[in-house]
Amino acid sequence: MSSILPLTVLYGICSGAFVALVGSPVVSMGSADSVGERTGLLFSMTAIGALSGPPISGAIRGLSNSTDAGRAWRPVGIYAGTMVLVAVGLMCLTRRMVIGRWGKGVI
């Protein structure tokens, strides 16, 4: 029990910072009139991944025939890592579309 306590404290600090800061860029992207619309769209898109990710991960884990715990979770890790890389690629593509070129720039 004592080994999990620092992990939960660290998770709480990092999770709180993420939740508090995720909306800041959205607020600065436009006028004050449409902050609610932009924030709602952001969290609606986030909810799709948050609601569909765990069942997909569970299905992938269920299809794993390995009895070794490390090997059984490997396909789930590959799925999660692939989804993170896809998300980074989409963010880079979006940045490219907004700025109009690759490289340095201010949005």
Side-chain angles (χ1 to χ4, degrees), residues 10-83:
L10 184 63
Y11 176 79
I13 292 170
C14 294
S15 174
F18 175 77
V19 170
L21 295 175
V22 74
S24 298
V26 177
V27 171
S28 67
M29 285 184 181
S31 67
D33 297 339
S34 61
V35 169
E37 295 169 4
R38 290 191 311 270
T39 306
L41 184 62
L42 168 73
F43 285 115
S44 295
M45 294 295 115
T46 304
I48 293 171
L51 292 174
S52 64
I56 293 171
S57 295
I60 292 171
R61 170 65 176 92
L63 291 174
S64 176
N65 294 328
S66 177
T67 57
D68 180 27
R71 292 189 185 272
W73 286 100
R74 186 170 292 154
V76 176
I78 292 170
Y79 163 72
T82 303
M83 291 300 106

